[in-house]
Amino acid sequence: MHLAPTSSAAAKRLAASLKHARPLARAGIPAQLSSARRAYSSTTADPVRPSPKNSKASLGAFTLGAALSGALVYYLANAERDGAVPQNQAGAALNTQYGSPDDFKKAIEELKQTFPAEGVVTTDVEDLEEHGFSENDYHPSSHPSVVVWPASTEDVVKIVKIAVKYRMPVIPYSGATSLEGHFRAPAVGGISVDLSKMDHILEIHEADSDVVCQPGLRWMDLNEVLRKKGIPLFFPLDPAPGATIGGMLSTGCSGTNAVRYGTAKAEWFLNATVVLPSGEVIKTRRRARKSSAGFDTTKLFIGAEGTLGIVTELTIRLAPLLPTNVAVVQFPDVRSATEAVIEVVNSGVGIQCVELCDDQFMRATNIYGMSSRKWPEKDSLFFKFQGPTPRALKETADIVKTITAKHGATGFSLARNDKEAHDLWMDRKNALYSSLAILPGARGWSTDVCVPVSRLPDLVYGTKGDLEEHGLLSTIVGHVGDGNFHALILFRDDAELEKAHEAVDRMVKRAIALDGTCTGEHGVGMGKRDYLYEELGEGTVELMKTIKRAVDPLNLFNPGKLYPEHHNDSKRDH
């Protein structure tokens, strides 16, 4: 769920005020990108073939055995042979030494010579601002030095080789819907690789229920193309409307459909063509529905946020498009609603989505005035049922109505036709604008955490009490079927903004203490990386860093994201 400020002007004023303040995410966090939005192509460039001069290079492969293929280890050999960085050591910091301003000028000039066509390379101030600022979050803006629009895998390879030559950071740019500063450039600048022109569907295999596409393709556009072609399949991952397939892979996204279809880390991405930081091109696997051949290197790049490679082409699975219906029901409290959901999901009925909307959200919906009805201002569940026939949908609705009534539910309202179902679901989808209506002139900070479903009431009650104690107004929406929790914290000035930032910090720590995660679907970016030691443990984080140093020894790809810089006080190994 992506919630943005009320207007571009307001957001830009806020960004300007923050530019000279300490970063809201945490002091000392650089800024930069990674949503890896457009970078896939049907063609492959000539990979870099390192000559095996120094077989001592297997040093960097000692931890890659659990995650990387021989191709990546081979790349590491080349990087160490060239003396790019010292040998990898556990706990060593990632490289932060980049080219000089003069080097960057030379790189930009070479990019212009390599891509002479108009509109491919730009240093226009407005373009740089667009690629270093987001209306979707409140992390400080940080602009790249240059923006390049590749059209193919070969183009991405050329960009990466120039970046390596001049030691210039590379920031993948995708749908720009991310909420944790994924595509901010580091302080020194860098090359923003905008993949928006790589947005083609290359192949549709209806019989195999899969599609080959480029990374800049938006998931909603893909589903619309399938609908127009009369193909009864769809891509079920549903994050923000503008999200692209490449960015969805890179952030490990999900959405309201996750209770039925899982997340990006399930088997929805069959393979990916990736340009590595060496300029080499790999394809992670073939198009078969399943494979037990070697490491699952596709998953190495899912959730890596553009720090290990730039995806330029993918094969994704599709699911059957089934009829749905929508129901809404009210509960006396969040705990009753959560217990009802647990029983509903465990009953095995056809649930595609189940969303928890708190009493404040329902009040906001009434104030916003776009709903077709006035809702009871109580904690509520929005169900989307799924089934192959009207009879199956009715049976599911009957079972859910019975189960929810056992848990004190009232006002069970089932849509009578497709239009009514659409209208009911739109009340849930209008979360941003409805929530802003309860505090005129406010802006909203959206964040997400996730806990085991049974612990969700503890998280909700703890968060609501904390926000009330600090004088902050918020609406809460949760993908309750999988324990994913979103809060939109409203604020009107910089003082309240700082309070909101502190409240987010407490919310994240509360979720981790409940055996949860700092982010269920928004990703880490620059905003949540400092929580990883506490959540994952030192050993896991250091393994991630070792893989990063092995694949990208110069730390050119999206620096400042995902990997925490320092180990804080918490040492929670699992």
Side-chain angles (χ1 to χ4, degrees):
M1 182 179 73
H2 290 230
L3 304 176
T6 53
S7 70
S8 173
K12 290 184 179 180
R13 284 197 299 272
L14 178 61
S17 71
L18 292 174
K19 215 169 182 181
H20 304 293
R22 68 176 179 83
L24 288 174
R26 277 171 184 255
I29 292 182
Q32 198 174 52
L33 147 76
S34 158
S35 225
R37 157 181 177 171
R38 319 135 203 220
Y40 330 153
S41 149
S42 57
T43 55
T44 37
D46 293 330
V48 176
R49 300 293 181 193
S51 53
K53 203 190 261 188
N54 181 2
S55 39
K56 253 176 147 187
S58 57
L59 165 67
F62 71 99
T63 32
L64 290 181
L68 292 176
S69 68
L72 300 189
V73 178
Y74 201 36
Y75 161 79
L76 173 60
N78 186 47
E80 290 187 351
R81 175 180 57 76
D82 290 341
V85 290
Q87 294 178 343
N88 291 317
Q89 299 175 1
L94 300 178
N95 176 59
T96 57
Q97 301 301 311
Y98 300 111
S100 66
D102 188 55
D103 290 328
F104 285 14
K105 288 180 182 177
K106 291 177 181 177
I108 293 171
E109 186 57 37
E110 189 165 331
L111 285 168
K112 290 179 177 178
Q113 292 173 2
T114 304
F115 303 103
E118 185 177 354
V120 177
V121 180
T122 180
T123 55
D124 180 81
V125 173
E126 290 187 2
D127 289 326
L128 298 183
E129 180 180 356
E130 178 186 348
H131 288 76
F133 166 79
S134 174
E135 294 184 353
N136 296 331
D137 65 54
Y138 297 100
H139 302 299
S141 61
S142 183
H143 303 161
S145 311
V146 60
V147 180
V148 186
W149 281 267
S152 65
T153 299
E154 291 91 341
D155 286 353
V156 175
V157 170
K158 292 173 184 176
I159 294 167
V160 169
K161 288 183 175 180
I162 292 171
V164 171
K165 179 179 178 181
Y166 294 101
R167 302 300 191 258
M168 192 169 185
V170 175
I171 309 104
Y173 185 91
S174 186
T177 61
S178 62
L179 293 168
E180 296 297 346
H182 288 90
F183 55 86
R184 301 295 203 278
V188 296
I191 305 169
S192 177
V193 181
D194 188 329
L195 303 161
S196 59
K197 294 182 180 178
M198 299 177 64
D199 60 352
H200 300 296
I201 299 173
L202 304 176
E203 301 170 9
I204 298 175
H205 305 115
E206 182 176 355
D208 298 324
S209 299
D210 68 50
V211 162
V212 182
C213 66
Q214 293 182 307
L217 177 66
R218 298 173 189 268
W219 68 272
M220 291 187 72
D221 293 343
L222 168 62
N223 285 340
E224 181 63 13
V225 169
L226 295 171
R227 186 189 68 80
K228 288 182 176 178
K229 288 181 175 291
I231 298 174
L233 301 170
F234 79 122
F235 188 56
L237 304 185
D238 62 332
T244 63
I245 304 295
M248 292 162 68
L249 176 146
S250 295
T251 55
C253 82
S254 58
T256 63
N257 289 336
V259 67
R260 168 67 178 83
Y261 293 103
T263 75
K265 294 185 178 182
E267 293 292 324
W268 295 106
F269 295 95
L270 293 179
N271 65 45
T273 299
V274 185
V275 179
L276 301 178
S278 64
E280 182 177 358
V281 179
I282 66 166
K283 186 171 182 177
T284 56
R285 55 175 270 197
R286 299 277 182 173
R287 195 168 59 84
R289 179 59 66 93
K290 65 180 184 178
S291 171
S292 60
F295 305 133
D296 189 349
T297 51
T298 305
K299 284 198 172 66
L300 182 67
F301 300 97
I302 298 176
E305 303 187 353
T307 63
L308 300 180
I310 299 177
V311 177
T312 58
E313 185 178 311
L314 322 96
T315 302
I316 58 176
R317 284 179 54 195
L318 303 176
L321 185 61
L322 299 176
T324 61
N325 200 4
V326 174
V328 183
V329 61
Q330 289 76 46
F331 286 84
D333 52 53
V334 169
R335 192 172 301 278
S336 300
T338 303
E339 290 170 352
V341 168
I342 291 171
E343 185 172 348
V344 166
V345 172
N346 288 342
S347 73
V349 295
I351 302 296
Q352 181 169 320
C353 314
V354 53
E355 298 289 287
L356 171 69
C357 298
D358 76 343
D359 54 349
Q360 286 282 31
F361 176 89
M362 301 310 292
R363 183 169 78 89
T365 300
N366 288 337
I367 293 173
Y368 185 50
M370 295 301 291
S371 177
S372 59
R373 62 186 70 193
K374 285 291 183 182
W375 291 106
E377 294 176 2
K378 298 180 178 181
D379 297 320
S380 303
L381 291 178
F382 283 67
F383 285 96
K384 182 178 284 189
F385 306 135
Q386 180 193 78
T389 64
R391 179 180 176 181
L393 290 173
K394 185 179 185 307
E395 288 178 347
T396 294
D398 290 342
I399 293 170
V400 170
K401 184 176 181 179
T402 300
I403 291 174
T404 55
K406 285 170 50 181
H407 294 273
T410 57
F412 187 91
S413 178
L414 179 68
R416 292 167 295 184
N417 51 54
D418 288 345
K419 181 184 183 306
E420 191 169 307
H422 175 269
D423 291 344
L424 290 178
W425 198 249
M426 282 305 298
D427 287 348
R428 160 61 186 88
K429 298 298 283 185
N430 282 332
L432 167 62
Y433 301 106
S434 296
S435 298
L436 293 172
I438 63 175
L439 190 63
R443 291 160 286 176
W445 181 315
S446 174
T447 191
D448 90 307
V449 291
C450 189
V451 294
V453 177
S454 63
R455 308 304 301 272
L456 186 61
D458 300 326
L459 178 64
V460 171
Y461 291 140
T463 299
K464 289 180 72 123
D466 179 61
L467 294 174
E468 184 177 345
E469 180 182 342
H470 290 84
L472 292 169
L473 190 59
S474 170
T475 60
I476 287 174
V477 175
H479 308 322
V480 66
D482 49 29
N484 199 182
F485 166 94
H486 297 267
L488 180 67
I489 304 174
L490 303 177
F491 61 92
R492 292 163 295 191
D493 53 39
D494 287 345
E496 290 185 347
L497 174 60
E498 181 59 27
K499 281 186 179 182
H501 170 239
E502 293 168 354
V504 169
D505 179 69
R506 292 190 296 272
M507 184 191 309
V508 169
K509 291 176 178 176
R510 190 176 300 115
I512 294 173
L514 292 169
D515 209 13
T517 175
C518 65
T519 174
E521 60 186 22
H522 291 174
V524 175
M526 58 184 283
K528 290 187 173 177
R529 60 185 186 148
D530 282 353
Y531 300 108
L532 292 194
Y533 276 114
E534 181 178 358
E535 178 178 332
L536 302 178
E538 182 175 7
T540 300
V541 172
E542 291 306 321
L543 175 61
M544 289 168 54
K545 285 186 173 183
T546 301
I547 293 171
K548 168 66 170 174
R549 286 189 294 267
V551 179
D552 184 15
L554 295 174
N555 192 25
L556 294 181
F557 275 29
N558 212 18
K561 316 306 181 317
L562 186 59
Y563 310 95
E565 288 183 345
H566 306 292
H567 190 174
N568 296 327
D569 295 335
S570 53
K571 293 184 178 180
R572 212 179 123 184
D573 290 302
H574 297 278

